[in-house]
Structures are given as structure tokens and as C-alpha cells.
Amino acid sequence: MAQPIKEIITEMIQPFLDNEGFELVDVEYVKEGNNRFLRVYVDKEGGIDIDDCGRISEVLSEKLDEKDPIPDAYFLEVSSPGAERPLKKLSDYERAVEKNVFVTTYEPIDGAKEFEGKLLSFDGDTLVIQTPRKKASVPYAKVASARLAIVF
């Protein structure tokens, strides 16, 4: 079976990112309308800027040209994950403790599938979220998606 594009791109760019102090947040390869997009989300302590994105894009473009792992035409986008950054890895959840999060689950927990509030704790198995109404314990295994949430 062919290796998924996300894995291929991760293997290509991870050594450069590690060496330069960047964190690979996510890789997406999606079709929107008639176009395909390869999106690479990168961050670093203190955030990234347009120059960082440009540098990473150049390095990745060279590697993609060398190996040509994607047969279709596509647009390459390198960017910050933004203020409402997705939580993908265990370390993302650990860093999000004491921050506001928005979490959706695969199935209802105490009658709800969406939880927004302050992430009080995460032990690797359970997220404890203080919502406006109550404290919710959400099993990590039931999390469908999660991101940081901006409170206005």
C-alpha cells in the first residue's frame, strides 16, 4: 500500500524543522473545487512570521521537486496554525492546560458532544474542562477534534 502523503511530507520536512526550532503542527492534502492544496502548518516558540513560512516553503518545494511524491498539480501553502490552533498530539493537549479549548466528541458525554471552556487538566487519558455550567471529564479516546479557543 502506498504511503500516505501526510507521512511522506512529514518525513521530508521534519529534520529541517527540528534543526531550525520549528514544530510541525499538521499537514493536509485536500481538494477544494478543481484545485488540490498541500497545507503545512508550522509553529515555534513565540510564533512564526511570513519570513519563516517563506523559508520553510522554499526548502519543502526543493524536496518536493526532488522526490515528486504527488502526481497531481497542487498549491503549496505553509502557514501558522493560527490563534485557534488545532490540538493534534498529546503534547498539544499538555501545553493547552490552563487555556481555553473547544472540543468535539464522537459520541455524547453527559448529553453533550461539544465542550468549550478552560482545560483544567490532561493526564493522557482524560481532559477536564471547566465549561460555563460545570466541570466536564472527556475521555481522550472519544475526542473527535480539539483546538484552542479565543474568548472575546
Side-chain angles (χ1 to χ4, degrees):
M1 187 165 115
Q3 187 179 19
I5 289 173
K6 184 173 182 170
E7 285 180 21
I8 293 168
I9 301 308
T10 299
E11 286 175 8
M12 288 175 128
I13 197 66
Q14 194 68 62
F16 171 78
L17 296 176
D18 289 346
N19 191 49
E20 298 292 317
F22 294 108
E23 174 194 2
L24 180 62
V25 175
D26 199 11
V27 175
E28 295 178 341
Y29 182 62
V30 295
K31 184 173 184 190
E32 294 178 2
N34 293 327
N35 298 313
R36 292 185 184 275
F37 294 87
L38 175 59
R39 294 190 176 113
V40 179
Y41 298 96
V42 182
D43 208 355
K44 72 176 180 187
E45 193 67 39
I48 65 168
D49 59 29
I50 192 114
D51 293 332
D52 293 329
C53 291
R55 222 170 84 228
I56 294 163
S57 182
E58 284 178 31
V59 169
L60 183 54
S61 288
E62 286 175 18
K63 292 182 180 297
L64 287 165
D65 289 346
E66 269 176 37
K67 298 192 178 179
D68 200 20
I70 303 172
D72 304 309
Y74 59 91
F75 295 96
L76 172 62
E77 296 178 355
V78 175
S79 70
S80 158
E84 293 192 332
R85 156 189 189 139
L87 305 177
K88 300 279 187 175
K89 301 175 271 206
L90 290 174
S91 59
D92 294 338
Y93 289 88
E94 290 162 358
R95 278 196 310 263
V97 171
E98 294 299 314
K99 296 180 181 169
N100 289 299
V101 297
F102 178 77
V103 175
T104 62
T105 57
Y106 293 113
E107 58 190 56
I109 296 165
D110 293 332
K113 288 179 76 176
E114 293 184 350
F115 302 86
E116 185 165 3
K118 186 184 229 179
L119 180 59
L120 298 177
S121 66
F122 175 63
D123 63 8
D125 293 318
T126 305
L127 293 86
V128 178
I129 303 167
Q130 180 63 58
T131 69
R133 293 201 217 183
K134 64 176 182 165
K135 219 181 264 189
S137 292
V138 178
Y140 176 69
K142 294 189 179 184
V143 173
S145 69
R147 63 173 169 76
L148 294 179
I150 301 298
V151 176
F152 294 97

